[in-house]
Amino acid sequence: GQQVMQIPQYQHVQEGEDFTTYCNSSTTLSNIQWYKQRPGGHPVFLIQLVKSGEVKKQKRLTFQFGEAKKNSSLHITATQTTDVGTYFCAGPRGGKLIFGQGTELSVKP
Amino acid sequence: NAGVTQTPKFQVLKTGQSMTLQCAQDMNHEYMSWYRQDPGMGLRLIHYSVGAGITDQGEVPNGYNVSRSTTEDFPLRLLSAAPSQTSVYFCASRLAEISYNEQFFGPGTRLTVL
């Protein structure tokens, strides 16, 4: 079945450094969603990408959807301690939303 | 709106015990689902429901039952708890089955099975 793979599993950065997480699907996706989970919290929706090659920005966060709609990335510029958490991508399979394994970001002040 | 609520927040069970994790939403969402989260495994779908009276299996359904008698409630039943079911359980809802909808998560239930 469709799998959504996410790398890296962990990323430790110094505050001010950039961070990128990558999401790859074995099949073409109609859309992809990104969620953030703070330590001890629950996943919270960040954004959805629908179009091939789409790029969306939210302040220091840049989201991209690949031309083939099989991969996506989240890039954070100049990380801050408030960016700490786990970032998940999720893609639809039928009516289900399948999540990647997540990338846990830690930021050292 | 309270959004998605879950009870209890924490639970400790002994092997073989049964229990029900409660989930409710007040957003009139048709679609509800249960995930479990384990370290390094991400969020794995247990069961889901596209509307009252309709449920289906997700990726890891064994050992769990669900029912959906109302739009608001979607309880998850552990029939005979096993240590492998130690996990954090999240209930989620979205407006409809169509995938182009933001999914809202509850605060989670942290379950330990001894």
Side-chain angles (χ1 to χ4, degrees):
Chain A
Q2 174 193 305
Q3 299 227 359
V4 178
M5 308 299 293
Q6 200 173 343
I7 56 169
Q9 190 172 355
Y10 303 98
Q11 186 77 56
H12 309 286
V13 300
Q14 193 78 32
E15 189 173 22
E17 291 181 338
D18 292 354
F19 160 77
T20 305
T21 174
Y22 300 91
C23 185
N24 293 287
S25 169
S26 55
T27 59
T28 300
L29 300 169
S30 58
N31 64 84
I32 194 159
Q33 297 181 357
W34 286 91
Y35 291 77
K36 177 183 179 181
Q37 183 181 25
R38 295 184 186 275
H42 59 275
V44 175
F45 176 83
L46 292 176
I47 207 161
Q48 176 173 259
L49 304 170
V50 178
K51 299 177 184 176
S52 170
E54 188 169 16
V55 178
K56 286 188 175 180
K57 293 191 175 184
Q58 288 180 350
K59 297 183 180 177
R60 295 176 295 103
L61 277 61
T62 302
F63 304 84
Q64 293 190 353
F65 200 11
E67 294 290 342
K69 301 183 76 173
K70 295 178 72 173
N71 58 76
S72 181
S73 65
L74 158 60
H75 179 82
I76 302 179
T77 303
T79 55
Q80 300 176 358
T81 54
T82 53
D83 296 324
V84 164
T86 300
Y87 293 85
F88 292 98
C89 61
R93 183 174 71 195
K96 308 171 203 176
L97 193 61
I98 305 300
F99 283 76
Q101 300 94 324
T103 296
E104 184 179 338
L105 172 65
S106 63
V107 180
K108 187 175 180 180
Chain B
N1 285 356
V4 181
T5 58
Q6 290 182 239
T7 56
K9 284 190 169 59
F10 302 92
Q11 183 71 50
V12 179
L13 292 178
K14 294 181 179 178
T15 297
Q17 286 185 314
S18 62
M19 80 159 295
T20 299
L21 308 186
Q22 301 292 344
C23 174
Q25 52 90 12
D26 62 358
M27 297 176 282
N28 202 30
H29 286 174
E30 291 183 2
Y31 186 98
M32 296 185 74
S33 54
W34 277 100
Y35 290 85
R36 61 176 288 173
Q37 183 174 30
D38 304 291
M41 303 291 286
L43 294 156
R44 292 183 293 170
L45 183 64
I46 304 172
H47 284 286
Y48 66 101
S49 168
V50 301
I54 306 169
T55 64
D56 206 345
Q57 296 182 349
E59 302 168 278
V60 289
N62 292 343
Y64 306 95
N65 274 0
V66 292
S67 60
R68 184 99 179 268
S69 56
T70 67
T71 299
E72 294 78 20
D73 301 297
F74 191 44
L76 178 72
R77 296 185 189 85
L78 280 69
L79 308 172
S80 178
S84 60
Q85 293 179 306
T86 293
S87 188
V88 180
Y89 292 85
F90 289 102
C91 179
S93 75
R94 64 177 191 255
L95 186 61
E97 182 182 2
I98 186 171
S99 65
Y100 297 86
N101 292 141
E102 171 184 354
Q103 193 148 279
F104 295 84
F105 283 82
T109 294
R110 283 147 182 81
L111 176 68
T112 301
V113 183
L114 303 175

